[in-house]
Amino acid sequence: MATDAVVRFLKALDPEHREAVGGKPREEQERLAATWERELESDDELDTLDELSPPAAEAEAARRVMEHEAD
């Protein structure tokens, strides 16, 4: 996994989750970033949002990933 995906994922997170994920092992960060990228690619609703505001789409996908991780 490219480092830039982890950096982009961390940037998309809210500050609380950014700090929590930033403290996890690198492998876990990469796994979460890969999940985030799949969420961005697979959700048509996010595609529409991405056209209007890429940062908003990335933040929504990050929120969904962290919500799923909490389950």
Side-chain angles (χ1 to χ4, degrees):
M1 159 98 25
T3 299
D4 63 320
V6 172
V7 171
R8 286 179 43 234
F9 173 61
L10 289 171
K11 185 177 176 182
L13 289 168
D14 63 72
E16 180 182 327
H17 285 118
R18 185 178 306 126
E19 186 176 322
V21 172
K24 292 183 182 289
R26 183 66 183 181
E27 295 80 22
E28 180 69 6
Q29 292 177 7
E30 290 175 354
R31 183 187 68 75
L32 290 168
T35 302
W36 172 72
E37 286 188 318
R38 284 192 299 275
E39 181 73 20
L40 281 170
E41 292 171 0
S42 67
D43 190 302
D44 292 337
E45 184 179 300
L46 290 176
D47 284 344
T48 303
L49 182 58
D50 187 50
E51 290 178 17
L52 300 172
S53 174
E58 290 181 351
E60 175 61 16
R63 185 194 66 75
R64 291 178 184 184
V65 167
M66 296 312 296
E67 185 177 275
H68 179 70
E69 287 296 309
D71 290 343

